[in-house]
Amino acid sequence: MKKLLKLGASALALTIAASAVHAEGKLSIYHWFEYMPQELLDKFAAEYDVEVTMDTFDSNEAMLTALKAGKMGSYDVTVPGDYMVEIMAGEGLLDTFEPSELSNFGNISPQWVDVSFDPGRHSSIPYQWGTTSFAVNRDVYSGDIQTLAIVFDPPAELQGKINVLDSQGEVIALASIYLGIPQCTSDRDQLRALNDLLQSAKPHWASFGSDTAKDVLVSGDAAVGMIWNGFSAKAREEGANIEYAFPKEGYVVWMDNVVLLKDAPNRDNALKFMNFLLEPENAAAITNYAQYTAGVEGVEGFLDESVKSAPELNPPAGGKGQFIMACSQDVQAVYDKIWTDLKK
Amino acid sequence: MAKKLDLRRFPGFLPLTFLCLFLLYAPLIIVMVYSFNDSNSITNWGGLSLRWYVEVFTGVESEKFKSAAINSISIAIMAAIISTSIATLAATAMLKAGNFRGKSVGFALINLPLMVPEIVTAVATLIFFSAIGFTTGYLTILVAHIVFCIPFAYLPIAARMQGIEDVYEQAAMDLYATRFQTFRLILLPLMTPGIISGFLLAFIISLDDFIITNFVKGAGIETLPTAIFGSVKQGIKPNIMAISTLLLLVSVVFVTLSYLVGRMGQNKKVTTD
Amino acid sequence: MAGGLPKSSESNTSTYAGLGALLMLPSWVMIGFFLVLPVGLMLVYSFLTKEFRGGVIWEFSLAAYDQFFFDRGLFGDDPPVIEWTYIKIFWRSIWQAGLATFFCLIIGFPTAWFIATRTGANKSIWLFLITIPYWVNLLIRTISMKFLIRDNGPLNEWLLSLGIISDPIHMINTNFAVQLGLFYSYLPFMVLPIYASVERYNFAFSEAAADLYASRLTTLRHIILPFVKPGIIAGCILVFVPSLGAFLAPDLLGGAKNFMIGSLIEEQFKGNAGNWPFGAAVSMILLSMVLVVLTFYARQQSKGGVR
């Protein structure tokens, strides 16, 4: 017992000692785990003499809940998805800055400056973006896959072999796109149609799962998997004969953004960090690591060949991508009901 | 001597025990095998390789995983020791101290951490910690772990204690042992199997916790579960399998050592077992 | 309790009489301060108005409980009828947790028995053998289990090669897999408490029973089981109660096509719903159900004289 206690105490001392490094300033990041190469953090810390600490979360909603439950004020920046930026701004969790405060602001790709969730970019900068649709195992199905019917009204040979993401937002957004109805519609007939579509599709689905979305495709447990493009590319590299679809009805576009939090203890360093991430070389480093796409101009020269040429990362010209919208309270209540009924 | 059947044996118990071990260990074989996979996949075999072990020790993320492992194990050890001690005292109170004020709600209170769904404990604890001005970090994780480990330690200990008659302790007291001596020399040794069971359960429940830890941890502190669940942006890679295998190795070494130490101790003492 | 064993006689001189409150103090402080207060807050939350996207507005409201018990249609303006959705989810979770507990007991009891009848240091080795797999994270263990029971996974291939089956058994994404997930998450929590109480069993009782021509089964039922009952009950509590709120392993193996109580509550705090009062209310309903059962058990126990 005593020995164990000693071991524990020394481990504690070790952890405390490890975090006591001297630096000019500090920066506290709330981020996804394994979404930022450590070298890049080290590079920033060395270049600006800033001590960087990072805490992690596993979903947009978990991050929001933790911030609202008391973690506000302890972080400078975090990395929410598109719709979450809008929600956080609405909740008053975000600070604003002027584009002139970031010397690299002009590097942001023009298409990502005036985005619906943060018009003119006063609280956020692009981090990485990608798409969400689905991938199909070409050993099982050789027909046309550029339609969302593969998921919501599947051909006989794919029925019962479909994995969908266990995420209300993505499933309902894709279903709305398939039906051709606007997201967050309050039209009752459209909402009923949405409900009916999901209810009729569910018997064809084998499973809901996000953590294993990639692995079920690689192992062959699922022949169709709703999935993010980067995951699909990885699944293909791991040997699955799958093809990622850009359905004709449209698909979901998502974008993670670095936002400046209200009550940031180190606002200046946060802005330095955001500016740092807008350097093409640094943005490219993240893309090479995470295999999504940067929202910054001029990264091409720094990208790995495999990332540049991956079909998953290059949507066709004229592809109809939509951001997931943050709905009003009334519509969200109906969505919740639809989702609960789907999984009751 | 053994003209009768061995009363310690029941037909079918041995096969069920082996079924139990099979169920527990079969998935671990998969973990170990795939830690040597040359591919990025955790489900497709790409040939034999040590690359993931190399990555665990020298990769860019190796520091992160090392500190996560140290955090996880140190928190689990401390949480298990403290909660087992608390639970031992509580079990003594509940079963060996007659009646006292508050005993009737004691059982429910001690088991409360089992009954509250984890996510609720997580959110409520975070709200509470920030309300009383605790900064989240290593200490908040430890406190939260101690709390939810208590019932896991308490129940085996109390189950054990219910089988211990008062006569031994009464005899000791009759021989003028103080109550503390009685507790230390009589009750504690008799309860050892319960305490070991409680400790082990508290240890594994703490080592595995994700939901609560994820909310009450602070900047810079990861545990293995938060690192593993957090890798949603990258997917799970065989490096996790390599880390798991290494952890298994550590645990086996630990067990072997304690076995050898125990053997040495036994050889020294004259045992009547 | 039947069985005729020498039970600890109801002595009025409890060894540590008078120290009860003192010995309980550490657990009361830890749980009282760090759990009862926060959970008390959640109880209050369940009666407040929900704030959109998480959080509460400090205005009294029964909306959360109303949502649990009454169905007002897709758009919330139909006349209320009884809501079966959540009752169904509760029933499913209770049923799954009950079955998982049963299977844990069937496998766990013989294992605990086997360990308790080893000699000396071998016992601890066996105890460690049961817990070592749990050094590996639940997510990883479950994913590997999933790999194992796939249609073309190792288990099916092995059974096929032995000729035991002619077609692969489809296990993944079935109710069986949900069971397996729960069972696998909590097995040691059954084995260890039972071990702790079997270990004290005195085989003189079995010998006495055998001398009186009791069969093995009779001995097991009338002598051994009553003796180890505290361990069995402790094990059942440790498996059943956490199983009620568990969802990770059963969801991964079972396909997550249906909510369990745990995933329903999780969705309120970590999902799009962001309905904290409802999540709190569901938890309070679950908590009070378990509390009633446990209190009933504690009453029975104190009545039975086992103290």
Side-chain angles (χ1 to χ4, degrees):
Chain A
M1 272 302 221
K2 260 184 204 154
K3 267 180 214 154
L4 290 181
L5 207 59
K6 248 190 206 159
L7 183 73
S10 56
L12 178 66
L14 204 73
T15 349
I16 292 167
S19 58
V21 188
H22 276 288
E24 198 56 31
K26 289 186 174 171
L27 177 69
S28 185
I29 308 173
Y30 199 26
H31 203 350
W32 304 77
F33 194 78
E34 290 201 333
Y35 197 15
M36 167 83 96
Q38 184 63 39
E39 298 103 320
L40 200 60
L41 279 182
D42 294 344
K43 182 179 166 195
F44 175 76
E47 227 167 81
Y48 292 87
D49 194 20
V50 166
E51 181 197 335
V52 182
T53 49
M54 187 158 87
D55 193 6
T56 59
F57 54 85
D58 67 323
S59 76
N60 277 307
E61 286 72 20
M63 179 260 292
L64 179 67
T65 298
L67 287 178
K68 289 185 90 169
K71 284 193 168 183
M72 271 306 281
S74 36
Y75 307 112
D76 299 303
V77 292
T78 185
V79 187
D82 40 84
Y83 68 100
M84 190 50 73
V85 174
E86 192 177 345
I87 290 171
M88 290 173 78
E91 297 276 326
L93 301 178
L94 300 185
D95 199 356
T96 54
F97 55 83
E98 283 306 314
S100 58
E101 291 182 76
L102 300 175
S103 59
N104 289 332
F105 192 88
N107 291 353
I108 301 175
S109 309
Q111 61 178 132
W112 301 129
V113 175
D114 227 9
V115 283
S116 57
F117 51 85
D118 184 15
R121 292 281 183 188
H122 289 286
S123 302
S124 67
I125 59 157
Y127 187 72
Q128 293 281 291
W129 68 273
T131 60
T132 310
S133 75
F134 59 89
V136 180
N137 189 327
R138 280 312 203 171
D139 296 336
V140 178
Y141 185 73
S142 52
D144 174 27
I145 62 164
Q146 306 302 342
T147 165
L148 282 165
I150 295 283
V151 172
F152 294 104
D153 187 13
E157 55 263 58
L158 292 175
Q159 290 176 5
K161 294 175 185 160
I162 300 171
N163 177 64
V164 298
L165 293 170
D166 196 3
S167 151
Q168 191 203 95
E170 271 142 334
V171 172
I172 290 188
L174 283 173
S176 303
I177 293 172
Y178 176 58
L179 286 176
I181 60 176
Q183 287 187 57
C184 298
T185 177
S186 54
D187 182 288
R188 291 195 167 195
D189 290 332
Q190 290 181 341
L191 284 166
R192 274 194 208 97
L194 181 67
N195 189 32
D196 294 344
L197 175 71
L198 291 172
Q199 290 290 348
S200 67
K202 187 189 171 189
H204 302 315
W205 296 344
S207 56
F208 289 80
S210 302
D211 289 335
T212 52
K214 183 188 78 186
D215 304 308
V216 290
L217 283 171
V218 177
S219 69
D221 289 341
V224 177
M226 200 183 278
I227 197 165
W228 308 287
N229 58 340
F231 263 39
S232 181
K234 284 187 180 125
R236 182 172 51 77
E237 280 162 20
E238 288 174 20
N241 181 20
I242 57 170
E243 186 180 337
Y244 184 76
F246 290 99
K248 60 175 191 275
E249 298 90 348
Y251 46 87
V252 167
V253 174
W254 54 263
M255 172 172 265
D256 289 328
N257 308 270
V258 183
V259 295
L260 182 62
L261 284 168
K262 192 153 258 177
D263 306 328
N266 314 288
R267 189 176 186 274
D268 287 349
N269 286 338
L271 288 172
K272 278 183 202 160
F273 183 64
M274 292 164 91
N275 202 42
F276 173 82
L277 292 178
L278 289 176
E279 290 281 351
E281 186 183 352
N282 300 333
I286 300 170
T287 296
N288 286 335
Y289 176 81
Q291 302 200 1
Y292 294 108
T293 310
V296 171
E297 296 282 277
V299 292
E300 291 74 15
F302 301 100
L303 289 179
D304 294 347
E305 200 48 48
S306 63
V307 174
K308 239 190 284 185
S309 60
E312 291 86 353
L313 306 186
N314 297 292
K320 289 186 281 183
Q322 292 186 17
F323 281 117
I324 294 180
M325 284 165 60
C327 303
S328 71
Q329 184 160 359
D330 293 339
V331 175
Q332 185 59 45
V334 179
Y335 277 10
D336 289 342
K337 180 101 177 126
I338 290 175
W339 187 247
T340 310
D341 281 346
L342 187 65
K343 296 189 73 176
K344 73 182 172 194
Chain B
M1 226 171 80
K3 60 175 181 179
K4 275 188 293 193
L5 294 158
D6 187 349
L7 293 165
R8 290 164 180 264
R9 293 210 180 140
F10 283 89
F13 273 28
L14 195 64
L16 282 171
T17 306
F18 281 104
L19 177 63
C20 177
L21 285 180
F22 173 77
L23 286 169
L24 288 178
Y25 280 88
L28 297 191
I29 296 171
I30 307 282
V31 171
M32 284 188 251
V33 169
Y34 275 81
S35 70
F36 296 101
N37 192 358
D38 193 33
S39 139
N40 276 324
S41 168
I42 55 168
T43 51
N44 261 18
W45 185 250
L48 203 64
S49 146
L50 285 173
R51 60 180 279 212
W52 297 110
Y53 287 92
V54 173
E55 188 178 308
V56 165
F57 286 107
T58 62
V60 278
E61 308 287 339
S62 68
E63 276 309 311
K64 234 180 258 175
F65 278 107
K66 205 192 294 167
S67 78
I70 292 175
N71 285 337
S72 272
I73 293 177
S74 65
I75 287 173
I77 290 175
M78 282 190 279
I81 291 175
I82 297 171
S83 59
T84 310
S85 315
I86 291 174
T88 309
L89 297 180
T92 313
M94 290 296 289
L95 295 159
K96 298 265 172 201
N99 277 321
F100 58 90
R101 210 180 238 277
K103 184 179 174 180
S104 48
V105 295
F107 186 73
L109 196 68
I110 283 183
N111 288 299
L112 193 66
L114 275 184
M115 296 180 249
V116 186
E118 268 195 82
I119 181 73
V120 174
T121 309
V123 175
T125 307
L126 177 56
I127 293 172
F128 181 69
F129 278 157
S130 55
I132 60 172
F134 271 34
T135 321
T136 52
Y138 190 91
L139 204 63
T140 46
I141 304 178
L142 181 63
V143 166
H145 278 224
I146 292 170
V147 171
F148 71 72
C149 282
I150 289 175
F152 288 94
Y154 173 84
L155 283 166
I157 294 173
R160 170 72 178 188
M161 208 183 274
Q162 283 179 38
I164 299 175
E165 300 97 31
D166 285 341
V167 286
Y168 303 109
E169 292 153 273
Q170 300 296 343
M173 304 274 279
D174 290 345
L175 294 168
Y176 301 105
T178 63
R179 290 204 280 195
F180 179 68
Q181 283 172 327
T182 314
F183 178 77
R184 199 167 63 89
L185 298 171
I186 308 293
L187 193 58
L188 224 43
L190 281 172
M191 294 204 319
T192 308
I195 292 176
I196 292 178
S197 300
F199 175 86
L200 288 174
L201 290 186
F203 180 79
I204 60 179
I205 205 80
S206 162
L207 202 60
D208 230 7
D209 179 75
F210 164 66
I211 297 174
I212 294 174
T213 312
N214 194 31
F215 275 85
V216 301
K217 76 192 165 74
I221 309 267
E222 298 289 337
T223 64
L224 277 179
T226 64
I228 291 169
F229 281 89
S231 29
V232 281
K233 285 283 173 180
Q234 289 278 302
I236 298 156
K237 288 177 297 185
N239 66 337
I240 306 284
M241 302 296 191
I243 291 169
S244 303
T245 308
L246 290 170
L247 268 182
L248 285 174
L249 198 69
V250 170
S251 69
V252 169
V253 168
F254 179 72
V255 171
T256 316
L257 280 180
S258 69
Y259 176 75
L260 292 177
V261 170
R263 273 263 298 264
M264 271 157 56
Q266 260 186 348
N267 289 344
K268 269 183 214 154
K269 272 191 288 182
V270 183
T271 49
T272 51
D273 195 46
Chain C
M1 226 194 262
L5 287 182
K7 272 270 118 33
S8 57
S9 52
E10 206 37 73
S11 56
N12 40 17
T13 52
S14 294
T15 318
Y16 308 97
L19 292 180
L22 189 66
L23 292 170
M24 281 301 272
L25 198 64
S27 42
W28 278 343
V29 169
M30 284 309 281
I31 295 179
F33 195 67
F34 293 110
L35 193 68
V36 174
L37 286 183
V39 170
L41 187 70
M42 275 292 155
L43 176 65
V44 176
Y45 274 23
S46 74
F47 290 103
L48 295 178
T49 309
K50 80 161 179 175
E51 190 186 338
F52 187 41
R53 312 267 180 219
V56 288
I57 299 165
W58 284 83
E59 256 169 52
F60 177 81
S61 161
L62 284 174
Y65 292 92
D66 181 277
Q67 182 182 345
F68 190 92
F69 292 109
F70 298 104
D71 180 10
R72 292 166 199 274
L74 193 56
F75 304 103
D77 49 11
D78 292 350
V81 290
I82 297 285
E83 173 69 274
W84 291 104
T85 305
Y86 304 111
I87 296 170
K88 252 165 85 181
I89 293 171
F90 264 65
W91 175 243
R92 175 185 307 127
S93 296
I94 292 170
W95 172 243
Q96 302 281 27
L99 277 179
T101 310
F102 176 75
F103 289 127
C104 278
L105 183 62
I106 295 294
I107 305 256
F109 183 82
T111 309
W113 182 269
F114 177 82
I115 297 172
T117 51
R118 299 306 93 192
T119 52
N122 288 338
K123 283 181 196 168
S124 344
I125 291 295
W126 276 94
L127 281 189
F128 279 114
L129 271 181
I130 299 295
T131 48
I132 281 176
Y134 291 73
W135 281 60
V136 173
N137 185 268
L138 176 66
L139 184 68
I140 304 302
R141 268 185 287 132
T142 311
I143 286 176
S144 307
M145 181 62 100
K146 186 169 178 170
F147 181 88
L148 199 65
I149 63 168
R150 277 160 46 189
D151 290 354
N152 51 355
L155 187 64
N156 267 320
E157 275 174 17
W158 183 58
L159 292 175
L160 281 169
S161 71
L162 287 181
I164 297 175
I165 51 173
S166 53
D167 287 309
I169 311 172
H170 179 67
M171 288 177 275
I172 221 141
N173 301 333
T174 62
N175 268 336
F176 166 78
V178 174
Q179 291 298 316
L180 186 68
L182 285 174
F183 168 86
Y184 189 50
S185 304
Y186 297 107
L187 186 53
F189 299 88
M190 182 65 84
V191 177
L192 268 60
I194 298 182
Y195 156 78
S197 55
V198 174
E199 209 267 349
R200 252 198 78 62
Y201 179 70
N202 188 339
F203 282 91
F205 296 133
S206 289
E207 277 167 34
D211 288 343
L212 295 167
Y213 302 105
S215 71
R216 269 160 194 280
L217 214 59
T218 318
T219 314
L220 183 66
R221 251 186 61 198
H222 292 289
I223 316 255
I224 298 171
L225 282 184
F227 187 88
V228 301
K229 195 173 142 196
I232 293 180
I233 290 170
C236 289
I237 294 175
L238 280 180
V239 174
F240 183 74
V241 180
S243 291
L244 280 180
F247 56 91
L248 186 95
D251 273 6
L252 273 178
L253 291 173
K257 292 184 82 174
N258 298 307
F259 273 129
M260 302 273 277
I261 300 176
S263 40
L264 177 70
I265 296 172
E266 178 98 350
E267 176 79 15
Q268 309 308 318
F269 289 100
K270 274 182 78 176
N272 292 57
N275 190 343
W276 291 14
F278 183 63
V282 177
S283 310
M284 292 307 143
I285 293 167
L286 174 67
L287 178 67
S288 34
M289 272 171 35
V290 179
L291 212 55
V292 166
V293 175
L294 279 192
T295 313
F296 181 73
Y297 155 71
R299 281 265 166 75
Q300 284 294 102
Q301 226 194 3
S302 57
K303 257 189 225 155
V306 188
R307 293 184 305 138

